[in-house]
Structure formats: C-alpha cells, structure tokens
Amino acid sequence: MSLKYFTIEERLNANAWDVDVHRPHIRIKDPEKCRKCEKKPCTYMCPAKCYVQQGDYVVLSTEACVECGTCRVVCPHGSIEWNYPRSGMGIWYRFT
Ligand code: SF4
Ligand code: SF4
C-alpha cells in the first residue's frame, strides 16, 4: 500500500473558513506605522498572504487567516491588534 503525501498548499486548500465579516479578528492599529515600516515583514511572513503592500501602506484581509499568530510576533512596531475569531468562526482545520 502506498501512502499519499500532501503538500502544504494541498493541506491548506482542504481547510474551510467561517469568516466573521462583521468583526475581523486582526486589525492594524496604526497604518502610519506601516508607512514608516522599512521591511514590512508581515507581507512576506504571513503564510496565507493576508497582508499586501500597496505603495507605502499595507492592506490586510483576514479571510484566509490560519490563526498562526506570526504577524503579531514579527511586527516590529507592535501595530497589530490580534484576537482569536469569535467562537465557532475562523478556520476549520481538516489536517492537523
Ligand atoms: S510589520 Fe507591522 S508596522 Fe510593518 S507593515 Fe506590517 S503591520 Fe505595519
Ligand atoms: S495570524 Fe498568521 S495567517 Fe493570520 S494574518 Fe497573521 S500571519 Fe497571516
């Protein structure tokens, strides 16, 4: 019997989300800090690519967030307000 191995992308694609559209669980507290943030690590450290650079600023979309907490750790300006989604919302992992 051969085992099937899944790539990270295949595993992520198997997940489901119940997005809390009325209350995003992550927020950028001060966009002006993003403007002055030289390396903008959130834009390349987030595995779900939730942060996208637009000019000097960064746009955040939390729909595909996998709730890893990386963005909160790597932000050098403490500019990210991070909470888990409300109970029952957010990502539903199919693989652990
Ligand atoms: S790392 Fe923090 S301050 Fe820098 S661009 Fe991202 S959210 Fe803004
Ligand atoms: S918690 Fe993880 S997946 Fe969600 S926005 Fe932050 S870095 Fe991206």
Side-chain angles (χ1 to χ4, degrees):
M1 188 177 86
S2 65
L3 292 174
K4 167 137 176 71
Y5 292 97
F6 294 96
T7 65
I8 295 292
E9 288 76 17
E10 286 171 327
R11 286 168 183 256
L12 286 174
N13 286 339
N15 294 319
W17 285 260
D18 192 352
V19 179
D20 193 350
V21 290
H22 300 296
R23 200 173 80 176
H25 63 289
I26 306 173
R27 187 177 74 87
I28 295 174
K29 289 190 276 191
D30 184 357
E32 276 306 307
K33 286 188 176 165
C34 299
R35 196 170 68 79
K36 296 173 187 156
C37 182
E38 190 183 345
K39 294 188 176 162
K40 299 185 181 7
C42 58
T43 60
Y44 53 86
M45 294 298 286
C46 171
K49 310 216 180 311
C50 294
Y51 295 84
V52 175
Q53 184 170 352
Q54 289 195 352
D56 288 340
Y57 291 90
V58 163
V59 174
L60 166 63
S61 307
T62 57
E63 286 84 358
C65 175
V66 297
E67 299 167 28
C68 65
T70 302
C71 53
R72 180 173 53 176
V73 173
V74 301
C75 177
H77 300 291
S79 191
I80 294 172
E81 182 182 296
W82 201 104
N83 294 286
Y84 280 108
R86 287 190 285 178
S87 178
M89 309 201 86
I91 189 166
W92 295 14
Y93 278 103
R94 300 275 169 82
F95 289 97
T96 56

